[in-house]
Amino acid sequence: MSATPPSSPQETSVTGAVEVFALLAAGELAAFARLADDAAHAPELRLRIVLSRMAAADLSPLDRVEQHVADLGVDPEELDDLIWEFREVLAEFDARTTPRDWWERLVRTYVGYGVFTDLERAVTAGLEGESAAVAAEVLGDAGLSDFVAATLRPVIDAEAQLGARLALWGRRTVGEAIGIAARLLQTHPELARSAATGLGLADASSSEQTTAVLNRLTSEHARRMNRLGLTA
Amino acid sequence: MSATPPSSPQETSVTGAVEVFALLAAGELAAFARLADDAAHAPELRLRIVLSRMAAADLSPLDRVEQHVADLGVDPEELDDLIWEFREVLAEFDARTTPRDWWERLVRTYVGYGVFTDLERAVTAGLEGESAAVAAEVLGDAGLSDFVAATLRPVIDAEAQLGARLALWGRRTVGEAIGIAARLLQTHPELARSAATGLGLADASSSEQTTAVLNRLTSEHARRMNRLGLTA
């Protein structure tokens, strides 16, 4: 028996693309579940309807992702296993951050959606050709961040004590989100490599790449908390 | 001060239509929440994706309902209050029937979706003109019953003990569903009247109308349990 031949560049690129698209699919499923759960807890009808619709919208790119990965010739079971694995890791964010009220719930969704969408956007940087085009198409923002910011900002501006509590909660939740992003990048170096390409660090070490991506996620988070009138 | 004048037939008809469409909207929101929760509990990826998609599909007719009720010239706040009230009543079905495992969860969804969809279909019978057309458009089946029956039937056929437990559970859950349907019809005679029209009982008493509708829901349920190989 001969040893396994080294991967060709083409094979490496497909593996990377599969991991990236599995993360996008898992992110869509996790966002759907989180927003649907938020909708179920919404204190009044219009909020419930808006969040339910945003949950549904988050799911719609899934078709496109599945079709594209099938076009790449990937074994569907391999893809499903990877989506399931990523989804379980992403779900830990929710399991570890139980909100005490509606406002903490909205902040959690705002923080989690922001960090994980930034992570998804980052890891698509190394994609090329059709894969890059599909990723760009799939990664549209359904307006969730704007909606949550518009809902939270006036309440935070009006109640300093609530603002202080939510700032603390924002730090707690972003800690969990960044921890999960770190775990995904460390256990799947192809994701880190793809994201680092977009930061001009294609040749850096895997741990340097991970650190650079996490720094980017953290600074984007600070910018988002600023929109709420909170310090990250 | 003069007494409130009796409603004209036109006013009565619009009130009836508003209650019917509020029930349709509440049913869509409740089904979305239930299916999204089922999806979150699904033991593997394909089930999770199918149920998430069906949840999202259940929500899509909401636009059409809202637009139509607005066209009827109804006060949006009045409509929202009614949707919220109906939704809370429908949500009691889920609160009162906590499934012990995945199979009980699927049976609960099958039973609840069946009874409440039948109820929605029944109460649209008294609609006329554009309202009737919109209702027919909105009440399409996204294939949930077929999907659940196809998933459950082989498992039930293969495991007699599970089948016996699920038959018992089916009776428990349909009892709750019919109880909720009864409450909706009793507290909103316009709904009962609209449904009775389709059964040729437009002139019967309100309680006779309610009984006739509940009998219809019960016999449709028996037919559905039969599809699973279970006795209602």
mmCIF file of all heavy atoms in Angstrom, chain A residues 29 32-33 36 39-40 42-46 48-49 52-53 55-56 59 62-63 66 80 83-84 87, chain B residues 29 32-33 36 39-40 42-46 48-49 52-53 55-56 59 62-63 66 80 83-84 87:
data_model
loop_
_atom_site.group_PDB
_atom_site.id
_atom_site.type_symbol
_atom_site.label_atom_id
_atom_site.label_comp_id
_atom_site.label_asym_id
_atom_site.label_seq_id
_atom_site.Cartn_x
_atom_site.Cartn_y
_atom_site.Cartn_z
ATOM 1 N N LEU A 29 -28.568 28.336 10.245
ATOM 2 C CA LEU A 29 -29.444 27.521 11.105
ATOM 3 C C LEU A 29 -29.438 28.035 12.541
ATOM 4 O O LEU A 29 -30.474 28.087 13.201
ATOM 5 C CB LEU A 29 -29.005 26.055 11.078
ATOM 6 C CG LEU A 29 -29.358 25.301 9.792
ATOM 7 C CD1 LEU A 29 -28.623 23.967 9.739
ATOM 8 C CD2 LEU A 29 -30.863 25.090 9.695
ATOM 9 N N PHE A 32 -31.358 31.299 12.687
ATOM 10 C CA PHE A 32 -32.790 31.001 12.595
ATOM 11 C C PHE A 32 -33.330 30.585 13.959
ATOM 12 O O PHE A 32 -34.346 31.103 14.429
ATOM 13 C CB PHE A 32 -33.055 29.885 11.579
ATOM 14 C CG PHE A 32 -34.492 29.420 11.570
ATOM 15 C CD1 PHE A 32 -35.460 30.137 10.882
ATOM 16 C CD2 PHE A 32 -34.886 28.289 12.270
ATOM 17 C CE1 PHE A 32 -36.784 29.734 10.896
ATOM 18 C CE2 PHE A 32 -36.216 27.880 12.294
ATOM 19 C CZ PHE A 32 -37.169 28.608 11.593
ATOM 20 N N ALA A 33 -32.640 29.644 14.606
ATOM 21 C CA ALA A 33 -33.104 29.130 15.905
ATOM 22 C C ALA A 33 -33.120 30.237 16.952
ATOM 23 O O ALA A 33 -34.068 30.368 17.737
ATOM 24 C CB ALA A 33 -32.212 27.971 16.359
ATOM 25 N N ALA A 36 -35.937 32.816 16.108
ATOM 26 C CA ALA A 36 -37.261 32.226 16.337
ATOM 27 C C ALA A 36 -37.545 32.159 17.835
ATOM 28 O O ALA A 36 -38.669 32.414 18.283
ATOM 29 C CB ALA A 36 -37.338 30.839 15.707
ATOM 30 N N ALA A 39 -38.339 35.603 18.948
ATOM 31 C CA ALA A 39 -39.710 35.939 18.541
ATOM 32 C C ALA A 39 -40.711 35.338 19.526
ATOM 33 O O ALA A 39 -41.687 35.994 19.915
ATOM 34 C CB ALA A 39 -39.990 35.423 17.126
ATOM 35 N N ALA A 40 -40.446 34.104 19.956
ATOM 36 C CA ALA A 40 -41.364 33.440 20.890
ATOM 37 C C ALA A 40 -41.413 34.153 22.239
ATOM 38 O O ALA A 40 -42.371 34.014 22.988
ATOM 39 C CB ALA A 40 -40.956 31.977 21.076
ATOM 40 N N ALA A 42 -40.989 37.546 22.463
ATOM 41 C CA ALA A 42 -41.245 38.970 22.231
ATOM 42 C C ALA A 42 -42.471 39.432 23.008
ATOM 43 O O ALA A 42 -43.495 38.746 23.016
ATOM 44 C CB ALA A 42 -41.437 39.240 20.742
ATOM 45 N N PRO A 43 -42.374 40.583 23.673
ATOM 46 C CA PRO A 43 -43.464 41.030 24.537
ATOM 47 C C PRO A 43 -44.673 41.593 23.791
ATOM 48 O O PRO A 43 -45.691 41.837 24.404
ATOM 49 C CB PRO A 43 -42.811 42.113 25.405
ATOM 50 C CG PRO A 43 -41.662 42.601 24.598
ATOM 51 C CD PRO A 43 -41.188 41.442 23.786
ATOM 52 N N GLU A 44 -44.563 41.805 22.493
ATOM 53 C CA GLU A 44 -45.762 42.249 21.773
ATOM 54 C C GLU A 44 -45.705 41.856 20.296
ATOM 55 O O GLU A 44 -44.669 41.467 19.784
ATOM 56 C CB GLU A 44 -46.028 43.746 21.999
ATOM 57 C CG GLU A 44 -44.947 44.668 21.524
ATOM 58 C CD GLU A 44 -45.250 45.168 20.132
ATOM 59 O OE1 GLU A 44 -46.426 45.212 19.752
ATOM 60 O OE2 GLU A 44 -44.293 45.509 19.413
ATOM 61 N N LEU A 45 -46.878 41.980 19.660
ATOM 62 C CA LEU A 45 -47.076 41.356 18.357
ATOM 63 C C LEU A 45 -46.123 41.820 17.263
ATOM 64 O O LEU A 45 -45.580 41.020 16.518
ATOM 65 C CB LEU A 45 -48.529 41.573 17.901
ATOM 66 C CG LEU A 45 -48.910 40.854 16.608
ATOM 67 C CD1 LEU A 45 -48.919 39.351 16.810
ATOM 68 C CD2 LEU A 45 -50.265 41.329 16.099
ATOM 69 N N ARG A 46 -45.946 43.150 17.134
ATOM 70 C CA ARG A 46 -45.135 43.644 16.006
ATOM 71 C C ARG A 46 -43.686 43.159 16.113
ATOM 72 O O ARG A 46 -43.068 42.798 15.112
ATOM 73 C CB ARG A 46 -45.192 45.169 15.927
ATOM 74 C CG ARG A 46 -46.523 45.692 15.432
ATOM 75 C CD ARG A 46 -46.794 45.291 13.984
ATOM 76 N NE ARG A 46 -48.087 44.658 13.838
ATOM 77 C CZ ARG A 46 -48.471 44.005 12.746
ATOM 78 N NH1 ARG A 46 -47.679 43.898 11.699
ATOM 79 N NH2 ARG A 46 -49.650 43.444 12.693
ATOM 80 N N ARG A 48 -42.762 40.438 17.584
ATOM 81 C CA ARG A 48 -42.799 39.018 17.292
ATOM 82 C C ARG A 48 -42.807 38.763 15.789
ATOM 83 O O ARG A 48 -42.106 37.887 15.286
ATOM 84 C CB ARG A 48 -44.038 38.407 17.938
ATOM 85 C CG ARG A 48 -44.036 36.905 17.894
ATOM 86 C CD ARG A 48 -45.291 36.337 18.518
ATOM 87 N NE ARG A 48 -45.274 34.906 18.445
ATOM 88 C CZ ARG A 48 -45.067 34.111 19.486
ATOM 89 N NH1 ARG A 48 -44.874 34.608 20.670
ATOM 90 N NH2 ARG A 48 -45.050 32.804 19.333
ATOM 91 N N ILE A 49 -43.606 39.553 15.083
ATOM 92 C CA ILE A 49 -43.694 39.363 13.633
ATOM 93 C C ILE A 49 -42.374 39.734 12.947
ATOM 94 O O ILE A 49 -41.870 38.998 12.099
ATOM 95 C CB ILE A 49 -44.887 40.174 13.056
ATOM 96 C CG1 ILE A 49 -46.205 39.547 13.528
ATOM 97 C CG2 ILE A 49 -44.823 40.228 11.536
ATOM 98 C CD1 ILE A 49 -47.458 40.286 13.073
ATOM 99 N N SER A 52 -39.804 37.028 13.722
ATOM 100 C CA SER A 52 -40.130 35.777 13.023
ATOM 101 C C SER A 52 -39.739 35.890 11.551
ATOM 102 O O SER A 52 -39.163 34.971 10.961
ATOM 103 C CB SER A 52 -41.627 35.464 13.125
ATOM 104 O OG SER A 52 -42.023 35.283 14.467
ATOM 105 N N ARG A 53 -40.050 37.044 10.965
ATOM 106 C CA ARG A 53 -39.721 37.235 9.544
ATOM 107 C C ARG A 53 -38.216 37.260 9.319
ATOM 108 O O ARG A 53 -37.718 36.747 8.320
ATOM 109 C CB ARG A 53 -40.320 38.549 9.047
ATOM 110 C CG ARG A 53 -41.794 38.420 8.772
ATOM 111 C CD ARG A 53 -42.317 39.682 8.092
ATOM 112 N NE ARG A 53 -43.675 39.442 7.626
ATOM 113 C CZ ARG A 53 -44.690 40.280 7.785
ATOM 114 N NH1 ARG A 53 -44.496 41.441 8.383
ATOM 115 N NH2 ARG A 53 -45.878 39.990 7.334
ATOM 116 N N ALA A 55 -36.029 35.741 11.141
ATOM 117 C CA ALA A 55 -35.593 34.346 11.289
ATOM 118 C C ALA A 55 -35.776 33.617 9.962
ATOM 119 O O ALA A 55 -34.856 32.961 9.459
ATOM 120 C CB ALA A 55 -36.387 33.654 12.396
ATOM 121 N N ALA A 56 -36.958 33.753 9.389
ATOM 122 C CA ALA A 56 -37.245 33.065 8.127
ATOM 123 C C ALA A 56 -36.297 33.534 7.024
ATOM 124 O O ALA A 56 -35.803 32.729 6.230
ATOM 125 C CB ALA A 56 -38.696 33.292 7.721
ATOM 126 N N LEU A 59 -32.889 31.973 6.800
ATOM 127 C CA LEU A 59 -32.816 30.595 6.333
ATOM 128 C C LEU A 59 -32.762 30.501 4.813
ATOM 129 O O LEU A 59 -32.292 29.509 4.257
ATOM 130 C CB LEU A 59 -34.064 29.874 6.835
ATOM 131 C CG LEU A 59 -33.949 28.375 7.021
ATOM 132 C CD1 LEU A 59 -32.974 28.072 8.132
ATOM 133 C CD2 LEU A 59 -35.321 27.815 7.339
ATOM 134 N N LEU A 62 -29.932 29.132 2.431
ATOM 135 C CA LEU A 62 -29.448 27.763 2.641
ATOM 136 C C LEU A 62 -29.482 26.930 1.355
ATOM 137 O O LEU A 62 -28.556 26.170 1.055
ATOM 138 C CB LEU A 62 -30.302 27.112 3.731
ATOM 139 C CG LEU A 62 -29.743 25.890 4.449
ATOM 140 C CD1 LEU A 62 -28.382 26.180 5.047
ATOM 141 C CD2 LEU A 62 -30.718 25.455 5.547
ATOM 142 N N ASP A 63 -30.553 27.085 0.580
ATOM 143 C CA ASP A 63 -30.676 26.406 -0.712
ATOM 144 C C ASP A 63 -29.454 26.630 -1.592
ATOM 145 O O ASP A 63 -28.892 25.708 -2.158
ATOM 146 C CB ASP A 63 -31.866 26.983 -1.509
ATOM 147 C CG ASP A 63 -33.186 26.449 -1.010
ATOM 148 O OD1 ASP A 63 -33.190 25.352 -0.439
ATOM 149 O OD2 ASP A 63 -34.193 27.155 -1.189
ATOM 150 N N GLU A 66 -26.309 24.907 -0.298
ATOM 151 C CA GLU A 66 -26.343 23.463 -0.520
ATOM 152 C C GLU A 66 -26.107 23.135 -1.989
ATOM 153 O O GLU A 66 -25.380 22.198 -2.315
ATOM 154 C CB GLU A 66 -27.686 22.899 -0.069
ATOM 155 C CG GLU A 66 -27.838 22.929 1.437
ATOM 156 C CD GLU A 66 -29.040 22.127 1.903
ATOM 157 O OE1 GLU A 66 -30.127 22.307 1.331
ATOM 158 O OE2 GLU A 66 -28.878 21.318 2.822
ATOM 159 N N ASP A 80 -22.890 17.434 5.726
ATOM 160 C CA ASP A 80 -23.865 17.438 6.821
ATOM 161 C C ASP A 80 -23.172 17.281 8.174
ATOM 162 O O ASP A 80 -23.540 17.952 9.143
ATOM 163 C CB ASP A 80 -24.892 16.318 6.626
ATOM 164 C CG ASP A 80 -25.959 16.689 5.597
ATOM 165 O OD1 ASP A 80 -25.782 17.722 4.920
ATOM 166 O OD2 ASP A 80 -26.949 15.959 5.477
ATOM 167 N N ILE A 83 -21.605 20.625 9.035
ATOM 168 C CA ILE A 83 -22.615 21.629 9.422
ATOM 169 C C ILE A 83 -23.103 21.342 10.838
ATOM 170 O O ILE A 83 -23.221 22.232 11.671
ATOM 171 C CB ILE A 83 -23.822 21.623 8.447
ATOM 172 C CG1 ILE A 83 -23.400 22.019 7.030
ATOM 173 C CG2 ILE A 83 -24.924 22.561 8.943
ATOM 174 C CD1 ILE A 83 -24.526 21.924 5.993
ATOM 175 N N TRP A 84 -23.370 20.073 11.109
ATOM 176 C CA TRP A 84 -23.891 19.693 12.433
ATOM 177 C C TRP A 84 -22.878 20.024 13.530
ATOM 178 O O TRP A 84 -23.238 20.555 14.588
ATOM 179 C CB TRP A 84 -24.235 18.203 12.431
ATOM 180 C CG TRP A 84 -25.068 17.770 13.603
ATOM 181 C CD1 TRP A 84 -24.649 17.008 14.658
ATOM 182 C CD2 TRP A 84 -26.448 18.061 13.841
ATOM 183 N NE1 TRP A 84 -25.692 16.814 15.536
ATOM 184 C CE2 TRP A 84 -26.804 17.448 15.057
ATOM 185 C CE3 TRP A 84 -27.416 18.793 13.143
ATOM 186 C CZ2 TRP A 84 -28.086 17.535 15.597
ATOM 187 C CZ3 TRP A 84 -28.702 18.875 13.676
ATOM 188 C CH2 TRP A 84 -29.021 18.260 14.889
ATOM 189 N N ARG A 87 -22.737 23.781 13.951
ATOM 190 C CA ARG A 87 -23.978 24.249 14.554
ATOM 191 C C ARG A 87 -23.978 23.994 16.069
ATOM 192 O O ARG A 87 -24.431 24.820 16.854
ATOM 193 C CB ARG A 87 -25.163 23.533 13.908
ATOM 194 C CG ARG A 87 -26.515 24.079 14.268
ATOM 195 C CD ARG A 87 -27.570 23.017 14.132
ATOM 196 N NE ARG A 87 -27.292 21.883 14.995
ATOM 197 C CZ ARG A 87 -27.469 21.850 16.310
ATOM 198 N NH1 ARG A 87 -27.930 22.898 16.940
ATOM 199 N NH2 ARG A 87 -27.174 20.764 17.012
ATOM 200 N N LEU B 29 -48.511 32.325 13.137
ATOM 201 C CA LEU B 29 -47.474 32.643 14.129
ATOM 202 C C LEU B 29 -47.263 31.469 15.096
ATOM 203 O O LEU B 29 -46.132 31.144 15.450
ATOM 204 C CB LEU B 29 -47.844 33.902 14.908
ATOM 205 C CG LEU B 29 -47.673 35.206 14.135
ATOM 206 C CD1 LEU B 29 -48.342 36.349 14.883
ATOM 207 C CD2 LEU B 29 -46.186 35.514 13.919
ATOM 208 N N PHE B 32 -45.484 28.682 13.269
ATOM 209 C CA PHE B 32 -44.073 29.048 13.096
ATOM 210 C C PHE B 32 -43.294 28.747 14.369
ATOM 211 O O PHE B 32 -42.244 28.112 14.341
ATOM 212 C CB PHE B 32 -43.938 30.535 12.750
ATOM 213 C CG PHE B 32 -42.511 31.013 12.729
ATOM 214 C CD1 PHE B 32 -41.702 30.777 11.624
ATOM 215 C CD2 PHE B 32 -41.961 31.659 13.827
ATOM 216 C CE1 PHE B 32 -40.377 31.187 11.614
ATOM 217 C CE2 PHE B 32 -40.638 32.071 13.820
ATOM 218 C CZ PHE B 32 -39.842 31.831 12.711
ATOM 219 N N ALA B 33 -43.830 29.205 15.509
ATOM 220 C CA ALA B 33 -43.134 29.028 16.782
ATOM 221 C C ALA B 33 -42.985 27.539 17.120
ATOM 222 O O ALA B 33 -41.926 27.091 17.562
ATOM 223 C CB ALA B 33 -43.886 29.751 17.898
ATOM 224 N N ALA B 36 -40.464 25.863 14.637
ATOM 225 C CA ALA B 36 -39.095 26.324 14.897
ATOM 226 C C ALA B 36 -38.554 25.642 16.156
ATOM 227 O O ALA B 36 -37.382 25.256 16.222
ATOM 228 C CB ALA B 36 -39.063 27.843 15.052
ATOM 229 N N ALA B 39 -37.754 22.149 15.250
ATOM 230 C CA ALA B 39 -36.492 22.134 14.501
ATOM 231 C C ALA B 39 -35.307 22.198 15.462
ATOM 232 O O ALA B 39 -34.314 21.489 15.301
ATOM 233 C CB ALA B 39 -36.437 23.296 13.513
ATOM 234 N N ALA B 40 -35.436 23.035 16.495
ATOM 235 C CA ALA B 40 -34.343 23.194 17.463
ATOM 236 C C ALA B 40 -34.109 21.902 18.245
ATOM 237 O O ALA B 40 -33.020 21.688 18.782
ATOM 238 C CB ALA B 40 -34.649 24.343 18.414
ATOM 239 N N ALA B 42 -34.637 18.831 16.814
ATOM 240 C CA ALA B 42 -34.492 17.720 15.855
ATOM 241 C C ALA B 42 -33.165 16.992 16.088
ATOM 242 O O ALA B 42 -32.135 17.636 16.272
ATOM 243 C CB ALA B 42 -34.566 18.242 14.428
ATOM 244 N N PRO B 43 -33.213 15.659 16.092
ATOM 245 C CA PRO B 43 -32.008 14.889 16.415
ATOM 246 C C PRO B 43 -30.974 14.835 15.292
ATOM 247 O O PRO B 43 -29.866 14.383 15.515
ATOM 248 C CB PRO B 43 -32.550 13.494 16.728
ATOM 249 C CG PRO B 43 -33.847 13.408 16.000
ATOM 250 C CD PRO B 43 -34.394 14.796 15.948
ATOM 251 N N GLU B 44 -31.320 15.272 14.096
ATOM 252 C CA GLU B 44 -30.276 15.303 13.065
ATOM 253 C C GLU B 44 -30.561 16.380 12.024
ATOM 254 O O GLU B 44 -31.654 16.927 11.946
ATOM 255 C CB GLU B 44 -30.045 13.910 12.469
ATOM 256 C CG GLU B 44 -31.226 13.295 11.778
ATOM 257 C CD GLU B 44 -31.180 13.580 10.296
ATOM 258 O OE1 GLU B 44 -30.088 13.808 9.764
ATOM 259 O OE2 GLU B 44 -32.256 13.598 9.671
ATOM 260 N N LEU B 45 -29.519 16.648 11.215
ATOM 261 C CA LEU B 45 -29.507 17.850 10.384
ATOM 262 C C LEU B 45 -30.653 17.957 9.382
ATOM 263 O O LEU B 45 -31.267 19.013 9.257
ATOM 264 C CB LEU B 45 -28.163 17.956 9.659
ATOM 265 C CG LEU B 45 -27.975 19.239 8.854
ATOM 266 C CD1 LEU B 45 -27.867 20.446 9.763
ATOM 267 C CD2 LEU B 45 -26.754 19.140 7.957
ATOM 268 N N ARG B 46 -30.916 16.864 8.646
ATOM 269 C CA ARG B 46 -31.938 16.967 7.588
ATOM 270 C C ARG B 46 -33.318 17.260 8.164
ATOM 271 O O ARG B 46 -34.080 18.053 7.610
ATOM 272 C CB ARG B 46 -31.977 15.681 6.742
ATOM 273 C CG ARG B 46 -30.779 15.531 5.829
ATOM 274 C CD ARG B 46 -30.748 16.625 4.762
ATOM 275 N NE ARG B 46 -29.465 17.290 4.707
ATOM 276 C CZ ARG B 46 -29.245 18.424 4.035
ATOM 277 N NH1 ARG B 46 -30.203 19.009 3.362
ATOM 278 N NH2 ARG B 46 -28.063 18.991 4.069
ATOM 279 N N ARG B 48 -33.853 18.841 10.914
ATOM 280 C CA ARG B 48 -33.799 20.219 11.377
ATOM 281 C C ARG B 48 -34.023 21.201 10.223
ATOM 282 O O ARG B 48 -34.765 22.173 10.355
ATOM 283 C CB ARG B 48 -32.435 20.480 12.018
ATOM 284 C CG ARG B 48 -32.369 21.816 12.702
ATOM 285 C CD ARG B 48 -31.018 22.025 13.352
ATOM 286 N NE ARG B 48 -30.991 23.303 14.013
ATOM 287 C CZ ARG B 48 -30.979 23.463 15.331
ATOM 288 N NH1 ARG B 48 -30.964 22.431 16.114
ATOM 289 N NH2 ARG B 48 -30.972 24.660 15.861
ATOM 290 N N ILE B 49 -33.397 20.906 9.096
ATOM 291 C CA ILE B 49 -33.539 21.800 7.945
ATOM 292 C C ILE B 49 -34.967 21.769 7.403
ATOM 293 O O ILE B 49 -35.574 22.814 7.142
ATOM 294 C CB ILE B 49 -32.502 21.442 6.853
ATOM 295 C CG1 ILE B 49 -31.093 21.809 7.341
ATOM 296 C CG2 ILE B 49 -32.821 22.144 5.547
ATOM 297 C CD1 ILE B 49 -29.974 21.447 6.377
ATOM 298 N N SER B 52 -37.260 23.602 9.857
ATOM 299 C CA SER B 52 -36.997 25.047 9.825
ATOM 300 C C SER B 52 -37.631 25.673 8.587
ATOM 301 O O SER B 52 -38.256 26.734 8.643
ATOM 302 C CB SER B 52 -35.489 25.326 9.817
ATOM 303 O OG SER B 52 -34.872 24.816 10.978
ATOM 304 N N ARG B 53 -37.480 24.979 7.457
ATOM 305 C CA ARG B 53 -38.054 25.503 6.213
ATOM 306 C C ARG B 53 -39.565 25.541 6.265
ATOM 307 O O ARG B 53 -40.203 26.465 5.756
ATOM 308 C CB ARG B 53 -37.608 24.647 5.023
ATOM 309 C CG ARG B 53 -36.202 24.962 4.598
ATOM 310 C CD ARG B 53 -35.862 24.226 3.304
ATOM 311 N NE ARG B 53 -34.592 24.725 2.795
ATOM 312 C CZ ARG B 53 -33.601 23.962 2.351
ATOM 313 N NH1 ARG B 53 -33.741 22.653 2.328
ATOM 314 N NH2 ARG B 53 -32.491 24.504 1.918
ATOM 315 N N ALA B 55 -41.351 25.839 8.937
ATOM 316 C CA ALA B 55 -41.688 26.946 9.843
ATOM 317 C C ALA B 55 -41.700 28.255 9.054
ATOM 318 O O ALA B 55 -42.656 29.031 9.107
ATOM 319 C CB ALA B 55 -40.688 27.016 10.996
ATOM 320 N N ALA B 56 -40.647 28.477 8.304
ATOM 321 C CA ALA B 56 -40.538 29.717 7.526
ATOM 322 C C ALA B 56 -41.675 29.819 6.509
ATOM 323 O O ALA B 56 -42.263 30.894 6.319
ATOM 324 C CB ALA B 56 -39.181 29.776 6.830
ATOM 325 N N LEU B 59 -44.999 31.122 7.674
ATOM 326 C CA LEU B 59 -45.082 32.540 7.972
ATOM 327 C C LEU B 59 -45.390 33.378 6.737
ATOM 328 O O LEU B 59 -45.925 34.488 6.841
ATOM 329 C CB LEU B 59 -43.733 32.976 8.548
ATOM 330 C CG LEU B 59 -43.752 34.162 9.480
ATOM 331 C CD1 LEU B 59 -44.499 33.826 10.746
ATOM 332 C CD2 LEU B 59 -42.309 34.553 9.809
ATOM 333 N N LEU B 62 -48.539 35.630 5.875
ATOM 334 C CA LEU B 62 -48.912 36.683 6.821
ATOM 335 C C LEU B 62 -49.058 38.055 6.138
ATOM 336 O O LEU B 62 -49.993 38.812 6.417
ATOM 337 C CB LEU B 62 -47.860 36.740 7.930
ATOM 338 C CG LEU B 62 -48.228 37.401 9.241
ATOM 339 C CD1 LEU B 62 -49.463 36.787 9.852
ATOM 340 C CD2 LEU B 62 -47.073 37.283 10.230
ATOM 341 N N ASP B 63 -48.151 38.352 5.232
ATOM 342 C CA ASP B 63 -48.222 39.607 4.457
ATOM 343 C C ASP B 63 -49.584 39.784 3.800
ATOM 344 O O ASP B 63 -50.188 40.855 3.873
ATOM 345 C CB ASP B 63 -47.207 39.571 3.291
ATOM 346 C CG ASP B 63 -45.806 39.848 3.758
ATOM 347 O OD1 ASP B 63 -45.653 40.508 4.797
ATOM 348 O OD2 ASP B 63 -44.864 39.379 3.089
ATOM 349 N N GLU B 66 -52.386 40.472 6.288
ATOM 350 C CA GLU B 66 -52.336 41.840 6.816
ATOM 351 C C GLU B 66 -52.806 42.845 5.777
ATOM 352 O O GLU B 66 -53.538 43.785 6.090
ATOM 353 C CB GLU B 66 -50.902 42.170 7.261
ATOM 354 C CG GLU B 66 -50.492 41.376 8.481
ATOM 355 C CD GLU B 66 -49.208 41.901 9.114
ATOM 356 O OE1 GLU B 66 -48.225 42.085 8.363
ATOM 357 O OE2 GLU B 66 -49.192 42.128 10.323
ATOM 358 N N ASP B 80 -54.399 43.737 15.698
ATOM 359 C CA ASP B 80 -53.254 43.237 16.461
ATOM 360 C C ASP B 80 -53.693 42.658 17.805
ATOM 361 O O ASP B 80 -53.203 41.613 18.233
ATOM 362 C CB ASP B 80 -52.230 44.359 16.687
ATOM 363 C CG ASP B 80 -51.362 44.592 15.448
ATOM 364 O OD1 ASP B 80 -51.678 44.013 14.390
ATOM 365 O OD2 ASP B 80 -50.369 45.341 15.539
ATOM 366 N N ILE B 83 -55.229 39.275 17.124
ATOM 367 C CA ILE B 83 -54.212 38.263 16.779
ATOM 368 C C ILE B 83 -53.487 37.818 18.041
ATOM 369 O O ILE B 83 -53.268 36.634 18.276
ATOM 370 C CB ILE B 83 -53.183 38.810 15.759
ATOM 371 C CG1 ILE B 83 -53.855 39.142 14.430
ATOM 372 C CG2 ILE B 83 -52.056 37.797 15.535
ATOM 373 C CD1 ILE B 83 -52.916 39.787 13.404
ATOM 374 N N TRP B 84 -53.123 38.795 18.870
ATOM 375 C CA TRP B 84 -52.366 38.478 20.099
ATOM 376 C C TRP B 84 -53.201 37.601 21.033
ATOM 377 O O TRP B 84 -52.697 36.629 21.606
ATOM 378 C CB TRP B 84 -51.951 39.780 20.797
ATOM 379 C CG TRP B 84 -50.927 39.602 21.862
ATOM 380 C CD1 TRP B 84 -51.119 39.696 23.215
ATOM 381 C CD2 TRP B 84 -49.530 39.297 21.687
ATOM 382 N NE1 TRP B 84 -49.942 39.469 23.886
ATOM 383 C CE2 TRP B 84 -48.957 39.219 22.974
ATOM 384 C CE3 TRP B 84 -48.728 39.068 20.563
ATOM 385 C CZ2 TRP B 84 -47.603 38.933 23.180
ATOM 386 C CZ3 TRP B 84 -47.380 38.787 20.772
ATOM 387 C CH2 TRP B 84 -46.830 38.723 22.048
ATOM 388 N N ARG B 87 -53.417 34.141 19.535
ATOM 389 C CA ARG B 87 -52.113 33.489 19.611
ATOM 390 C C ARG B 87 -51.854 32.947 21.015
ATOM 391 O O ARG B 87 -51.328 31.859 21.197
ATOM 392 C CB ARG B 87 -51.023 34.486 19.215
ATOM 393 C CG ARG B 87 -49.650 33.891 19.019
ATOM 394 C CD ARG B 87 -48.593 34.933 19.275
ATOM 395 N NE ARG B 87 -48.667 35.473 20.612
ATOM 396 C CZ ARG B 87 -48.283 34.831 21.711
ATOM 397 N NH1 ARG B 87 -47.789 33.627 21.641
ATOM 398 N NH2 ARG B 87 -48.396 35.409 22.891
#
